[in-house]
Amino acid sequence: MWDSRLVPAALAFTLFLFLAATALAQDRPGRDTAPQVGDEAPDFELSLLGDPEKIIHLSEACREQPVVLVFGSYT
Amino acid sequence: MEEIYKEYRNRANFFVVYIREAHPVDGWRTKENDRKGIEIPQAKTFEERSGVANTCAAELDLTIPMLVDGIDNRVGEAYCGWPDRLFVVGTDRRIAFRGERGPRGFKPNDMVLALKEVLGNSGSKDDMESALDKALEGDK
């Protein structure tokens, strides 16, 4: 019933689909694990664009004033 | 966001956190980006990401201070910020506003309402003393 010549092609196609799905999954949102309102904000220290020696610590930045975080990218 | 930043920059600290690309050409590319000539691959190094962040800031005329997430995407993942998202963190270091994930959930007006509430609840010591002085003046 099965043509043995088709097996390698079928396997290759299956592998291609798996790799494509994996690649696309990395660009899709998964489970939403963001901190909730009332949770302690995850602290971080990141460098400022244009002044890489200036490090911003969230815990220091929010000491005197609230902090607005805008996550995003160019694309 | 720039307008909001200009209005509230003296009362809150604003930061753009530049994270991994939403629609890189080597990933989930979009026709809209192709049409605009925005063809950017996912950065593989921090330097590459910083370079794209610079381009983004220049092309969009952004003046909001920008932070660049490490190539390990640690901060973006901690906040589940991909593809875009808004948060307000209060002076108690607690999340005061948690926007939903963009693009549909990216709602600056909702963020502003929350920010106003946070600012309204955090009157400065000077404001309170001034209010008390006025109240005492009224009693004389």
Side-chain angles (χ1 to χ4, degrees):
Chain A
M1 184 171 133
W2 288 97
D3 186 339
S4 60
R5 290 171 297 178
L6 291 177
V7 172
L11 283 172
F13 184 65
T14 304
L15 180 62
F16 168 76
L17 284 178
F18 173 75
L19 290 172
T22 303
L24 286 175
Q26 291 173 357
D27 288 342
R28 294 290 194 276
R31 197 167 61 91
D32 192 347
T33 56
Q36 301 285 342
V37 170
D39 287 351
E40 191 171 274
D43 199 8
F44 59 76
E45 45 184 70
L46 294 176
S47 58
L48 196 62
L49 190 69
D51 191 0
E53 290 187 14
K54 186 166 174 64
I55 306 294
I56 302 296
H57 300 254
L58 175 69
S59 50
E60 289 175 16
C62 67
R63 217 171 264 168
E64 300 293 324
Q65 291 183 321
V67 169
V68 175
L69 298 175
V70 185
F71 287 85
S73 67
Y74 190 25
T75 59
Chain B
M1 281 307 305
E2 278 289 309
E3 293 302 316
I4 296 170
Y5 171 60
K6 283 170 187 160
E7 184 171 351
Y8 291 96
R9 60 185 295 177
N10 293 327
R11 289 175 280 169
N13 289 317
F14 283 72
F15 297 106
V16 169
V17 182
Y18 198 92
I19 57 175
R20 65 183 174 95
E21 297 302 324
H23 298 289
V25 286
D26 52 352
W28 184 10
R29 76 189 288 169
T30 63
K31 287 181 184 169
E32 188 182 344
N33 279 347
D34 287 346
R35 234 184 350 259
K36 292 178 184 174
I38 300 173
E39 297 177 343
I40 295 171
Q42 194 65 259
K44 293 183 178 51
T45 66
F46 180 75
E47 289 69 30
E48 280 179 23
R49 181 171 287 173
S50 296
V52 178
N54 259 316
T55 300
C56 174
E59 291 293 318
L60 300 181
D61 274 332
L62 290 178
T63 61
I64 302 172
M66 193 178 281
L67 309 175
V68 182
D69 196 9
I71 210 65
D72 60 1
N73 301 313
R74 193 180 74 80
V75 180
E77 286 175 8
Y79 283 84
C80 214
W82 188 92
D84 50 4
R85 199 163 194 169
L86 292 165
F87 289 89
V88 175
V89 179
T91 52
D92 57 359
R93 220 192 105 183
R94 297 205 173 267
I95 301 291
F97 174 78
R98 172 198 196 253
E100 294 306 314
R101 287 184 284 199
R104 286 200 185 98
F106 192 87
K107 297 181 179 176
N109 289 341
D110 288 356
M111 182 278 288
V112 169
L113 288 174
L115 180 60
K116 282 180 178 174
E117 196 171 323
V118 168
L119 292 170
N121 291 342
S122 59
S124 68
K125 187 179 169 208
D126 287 343
D127 287 344
M128 287 189 277
E129 284 179 349
S130 172
L132 183 59
D133 287 342
K134 282 182 183 166
L136 290 172
E137 284 285 314
D139 283 350
K140 287 183 184 168

